[in-house]
Amino acid sequence: MENPVILETKNITKDFPGVRALDSVSFQLKKGEVLGLVGENGAGKSTLMKIFSGAYPANTYDGEIFIEGKRCILSGPKDSQRAGIAIIYQELNLIPELTVAENIFLAREPTVGKTGIIDRKKLFSQAKDLLDRLNIPVPPEEQIKNLSIGKQQMVEIAKALSYQAKILILDEPTSALPEQEVEVLFKMIGSLRSRGVSMIYISHKLDEIFKITDSVTVMRDGKTVASRRTPELSRQEMVALMVGRNIEDMYPKKSLAAGEVVLEVKNLFVSHPFLAGEKVVKDMSFKVRKGEILGISGLMGSGRSELVTSIFGAFPADSSGEIYVGGKQVKIRSPYEAINYGLGLVTEDRKLFGLVLGMQVGENITLSCLEKLSWHQIIIRSRESELINKYMGALRVKARSAETVVNTLSGGNQQKVVIAKWLATDPKVLLLDEPTRGVDVGAKVEIYQLMNKLAGEGIGIVMVSSDLPEVVSMSDRILIMHEGRMVKELQKNEATQEKIMFYATGGK
Ligand SMILES: Nc1ncnc2c1ncn2[C@@H]1O[C@H](COP(=O)(O)OP(=O)(O)OP(=O)(O)O)[C@@H](O)[C@H]1O
Ligand SMILES: [Mg+2]
């Protein structure tokens, strides 16, 4: 028997200045199901969820929402909470210095009688009850900052459910989660499902969608274009529905004859940013050739990101070792120097290092190459806009114009802007740290094609990635890191996902 519908929308239309983010969306979620919501970057997924969470109040859009058949006007987050809707955003909303229990019951702590004094004993015991009920192995007295991201996410979920949520929305919940913790989240989702909680699960990782969802709704250009039972949909079909065309080859790797060495790293050690005597990168040595894509794999915390940020002069701790660019030894003390030596770094955390969010798309793209565009300190506007148009076009950045503020772009489109920014510097070596995180399937293929093209032009590419199919398919060679050390090098023809996981988890 089909489950009854718990959440439904009719003809929701939402405009932002110049953009129709949602175009007459009709959407249905059934009770107790996990619904996967997929679609390209900018399709409108997060916007629809923000309508459900009350972040966009009812007077800012057209259309109707029904919960368990009843028309609901959601005028703000409190209304959504009362209606049983909870949302877990990608950026967690906990206070690091406070304990788990304090975070869960923030601003509604139990008090001693009517005194207004917080009843700490009751606070912790209530939190413990809740965590136990949900099988979350986190002590209520622990400070949030001491928990792994996965555990923090569990606390957020516990907090959401403590408001008796019936509908839980997870917007790209695994994008910042280490591989080991993804399984724990999936178990949690499974157990919530068996308790009758309905969930909307947004992800660009289609493996996850196939693994944990009961049904799938596809959005494209602000519309819902299909809703199916997950088992009735093939991967190929899902991708085609998302991007509106067939993608034959997800990983279009071209093999090129590798040229001379463009980057060489010898015996690199990188110190821990605050633990004296500890090293996060230990004795790394490797070479990258022109036209080569060198993959770097390893679990979160294995030193992958520290390695590339340190090479780029952007890691806040000492390092020792030798770096050669184009055969010449260099000392890179800052990103500015790195850029001058011909290095580019696309970082994992675009919000922290990649973009100036309050600035326009075009300004961000040219930020790192203003010297090239200037004549006696004056920026030549025609040259600037030519460059901006070139890269916005090449990467198909979905923005109304180059003047659009980056903040308002969807996640994946922000990532494209970061890549555009580094390409605009004409690098010899491009360091990519999780280049396709949060990027939709169509744009992923575009980024891969771009990597091929850059390799073809003689750029050496270092790609740190935890997306195993991506590393296996797009690298010429793969270095595997474990606890700061390189533990294995695999050639393209011998690399498999299983082998990588084996060495990444410390296998010998
Ligand atoms: N605050 C805003 N101001 C202006 N435009 C916005 C705003 N938020 C979203 N948009 C635009 O609305 C459209 C839908 O964006 P949304 O964030 O919902 O996409 P998404 O499907 O979640 O994409 P992604 O997969 O990249 O997260 C995009 O074109 C985006 O640029
Ligand atoms: Mg989104």
Side-chain angles (χ1 to χ4, degrees), residues 16-17 19-22 39-48 50 56 90 171-172 202 204 219 350 398-400 404 407-414 438-440:
F16 291 110
V19 186
R20 174 147 292 184
L22 297 175
E40 286 191 285
N41 298 130
K45 306 178 295 293
S46 295
T47 304
L48 184 61
K50 285 179 188 159
Y56 296 138
Q90 204 176 313
D171 194 348
E172 296 192 49
I202 300 181
H204 288 292
M219 289 188 76
R350 53 184 174 256
K398 194 180 166 198
R400 194 167 137 231
T404 304
N407 229 340
T408 65
L409 297 192
S410 74
N413 279 294
Q414 292 185 13
V439 170
D440 69 56

Side-chain angles (χ1 to χ4, degrees), residues 41 346-350 355 395 397 409-421 433-439 447:
N41 298 130
V346 173
T347 44
E348 185 176 21
D349 192 339
R350 53 184 174 256
L355 293 172
L395 288 168
V397 174
L409 297 192
S410 74
N413 279 294
Q414 292 185 13
Q415 182 68 350
K416 292 189 192 176
V417 176
V418 185
I419 297 180
K421 164 179 147 178
D433 192 359
E434 302 286 0
T436 65
R437 172 164 293 170
V439 170
I447 290 174

Side-chain angles (χ1 to χ4, degrees), residues 240-259:
L241 285 166
M242 285 167 70
V243 301
R245 66 195 144 95
N246 258 314
I247 293 186
E248 297 299 331
D249 189 3
M250 265 306 295
Y251 300 104
K253 172 78 177 108
K254 281 207 194 93
S255 276
L256 301 154

Side-chain angles (χ1 to χ4, degrees), residues 17-32:
V19 186
R20 174 147 292 184
L22 297 175
D23 189 358
S24 195
V25 168
S26 296
F27 169 93
Q28 275 195 345
L29 172 69
K30 299 209 174 71
K31 195 167 162 33

Side-chain angles (χ1 to χ4, degrees), residues 26-95:
S26 296
F27 169 93
Q28 275 195 345
L29 172 69
K30 299 209 174 71
K31 195 167 162 33
E33 79 170 352
V34 181
L35 176 126
L37 187 62
V38 299
E40 286 191 285
N41 298 130
K45 306 178 295 293
S46 295
T47 304
L48 184 61
M49 297 309 112
K50 285 179 188 159
I51 282 179
F52 293 152
S53 74
Y56 296 138
N59 59 4
T60 65
Y61 56 86
D62 291 331
E64 299 172 324
I65 297 178
F66 299 84
I67 296 173
E68 290 178 299
K70 280 206 290 289
R71 172 89 199 271
C72 279
I73 312 260
L74 304 173
S75 313
K78 282 263 171 327
D79 281 355
S80 293
Q81 212 170 68
R82 236 174 279 129
I85 301 176
I87 183 163
I88 309 294
Y89 290 106
Q90 204 176 313
E91 291 85 19
L92 299 176
N93 283 313
L94 301 169
I95 301 170

